[in-house]
Structure formats: C-alpha cells, structure tokens
Amino acid sequence: EAGVAQSPRYKIIEKRQSVAFWCNPISGHATLYWYQQILGQGPKLLIQFQNNGVVDDSQLPKDRFSAERLKGVDSTLKIQPAKLEDSAVYLCASSLYGEQYFGPGTRLTVT
Amino acid sequence: SQQGEEDPQALSIQEGENATMNCSYKTSINNLQWYRQNSGRGLVHLILIRSNEREKHSGRLRVTLDTSKKSSSLLITASRAADTASYFCATDGSGGSNYKLTFGKGTLLTVNP
C-alpha cells in the first residue's frame, strides 16, 4: 500500500514569511497527526485529527500555526509568520488502530 | 513536554554485537512503542508493548516493560550496519481511542562494520 505522502520535502524561507505543508495519509486512516521535530529531539505532537475534526491541538502555537483537514483525507499545516525557532522537520503521520505510519517529513529552514 | 527519556543518548558498537537502549517515563501508560528513524527520513514503527505485557519479541528485537519502574528497554541482537539510526520510545497514555504518542529524545545508534 502507498505510504504517507508529504510535500514539499524541503523549504527555505525568511522569517516573517508564510509557508504551507501538505500531507496525504494512507487511504482509510481516519486519524492524522502533525508533529514538529527539532534537531536532536523527538517529535512533538502539534495537532491530531480524527476524520475532519480536531482531537488535540493543545501544543499548537495558534497565534501562528494553523491546520485543516477539510474533507477528512489530506491535510495542510500553515505557519504565518514564521520565526527562526520554527526551523524543524514537520512530520505527518496517520493511523487506523494505534500504530502510526509516518511520512518522510518536510525540512523547514527559517533564515 | 517529552514523556520518555532514552538512555544512552548515543551508542556506538561493532557489527554483530548486541545493542541495548533504555527508556524511562513519568506517567501511567496504555502502551509503549519503539520507533526507528534513519538520517533525514520519517519514523518507522518497530514494536508495541502493552502495559499488561512484560516482554515482546520481533525478529532481532526484544522489548521489555517494567511498569513498576516506569521503564522499558529495547535490545537489538546481532546488530548490522543497517541498524544505524536513531531509536525513539513513545508512550501512549491517552486512554480511549485517541492514541496520542509522546516521544523521548532518542538514542543515536551507530553500528560500525
């Protein structure tokens, strides 16, 4: 089966610019996650969707980050405006029953 | 905040040796999972152990869980150069069907040929 797809793979922007990431989960997976992984650390959950509803966004910096999953399938994560500390790999994952399947991630560099 | 803490932070061994990584966590869990991440790539699920299990095997992997000590260990036997990666433990303490994972900082394993 096809895995979790993410694009772009790499993005370089200047601070205060905006950026958007896209994720297409494994077909049939109702749960979708966005994680932020800063260099040298483990992934940190930003937001969790169940179908098109938000289950947990307690660690999402809502003043600058937003995410949507309008049709309950693919999802976008947006940062506006970006800060230097947003430089990280943004991982998308999907799951059906507990085990999460991760995409390759988008490496964001904010200069 | 990160729930799990892996130990050691880095481990370097020779091919054929065994590698043991430890994970400690703070709050009660439903299950604990181990993931592998190769350089510049996404995470790959290795094994899940439930809170009522003490040991689980999968190929060359052996995971133990001690809920009284809030700790887990991952043993990779007969290591190979291809095992070089970062290994993360992740705890699921959410209950219900939310399956929310909290990851540790990881152990960087280097297997020298």
Side-chain angles (χ1 to χ4, degrees):
Chain A
E1 65 181 5
V4 176
Q6 289 189 248
S7 69
R9 292 295 310 278
Y10 305 92
K11 189 74 178 179
I12 300 174
I13 62 172
E14 295 182 351
K15 59 183 179 184
R16 291 188 288 275
Q17 287 187 324
S18 62
V19 64
F21 313 126
W22 175 82
C23 171
N24 190 28
I26 293 173
S27 177
H29 282 194
T31 310
L32 184 148
Y33 310 80
W34 282 102
Y35 290 88
Q36 179 193 58
Q37 185 176 21
I38 293 173
L39 185 65
Q41 298 185 20
K44 182 184 81 171
L45 179 69
L46 292 176
I47 189 167
Q48 177 184 352
F49 290 95
Q50 182 77 15
N51 297 309
N52 61 348
V54 175
V55 174
D56 187 335
D57 63 357
S58 57
Q59 298 193 92
L60 186 73
K62 298 180 186 64
D63 57 333
R64 298 183 300 105
F65 286 64
S66 64
E68 59 183 15
R69 194 185 184 198
L70 293 176
K71 297 181 180 179
V73 180
D74 56 351
S75 174
T76 56
L77 175 70
K78 297 179 181 178
I79 307 175
Q80 182 180 9
K83 293 184 176 181
L84 296 177
E85 58 262 36
D86 298 331
S87 293
V89 176
Y90 290 84
L91 296 164
C92 179
S94 68
S95 73
L96 192 56
Y97 299 118
E99 178 181 335
Q100 296 186 21
Y101 296 82
F102 284 80
T106 297
R107 182 176 298 276
L108 174 67
T109 302
V110 182
T111 63
Chain B
S1 62
Q2 305 206 262
Q3 158 85 304
E5 288 289 336
E6 289 89 344
D7 169 58
Q9 290 187 343
L11 179 62
S12 181
I13 60 175
Q14 295 301 121
E15 208 165 24
E17 294 180 339
N18 296 341
T20 300
M21 289 160 272
N22 303 296
C23 169
S24 60
Y25 57 91
K26 298 175 183 175
T27 61
S28 61
I29 61 172
N30 294 318
N31 64 67
L32 185 145
Q33 304 180 34
W34 285 90
Y35 285 79
R36 181 186 71 221
Q37 185 176 39
N38 293 93
S39 178
R41 301 180 68 176
L43 286 88
V44 174
H45 182 268
L46 295 176
I47 197 164
L48 180 153
I49 186 164
R50 302 191 188 284
S51 60
N52 61 352
E53 297 177 308
R54 292 297 167 258
E55 188 171 313
K56 205 161 184 180
H57 296 255
S58 177
R60 294 184 296 112
L61 305 180
R62 172 177 169 254
V63 169
T64 62
L65 179 64
D66 187 334
T67 53
S68 67
K69 294 181 179 178
K70 291 186 170 59
S71 67
S72 173
S73 68
L74 170 67
L75 169 67
I76 304 174
T77 59
S79 64
R80 306 166 181 168
D83 295 328
T84 294
S86 290
Y87 291 81
F88 295 89
C89 68
T91 54
D92 176 3
S94 56
S97 60
N98 281 357
Y99 302 116
K100 175 182 173 180
L101 293 180
T102 304
F103 285 82
K105 294 184 178 181
T107 292
L108 176 59
L109 172 66
T110 303
V111 181
N112 301 299

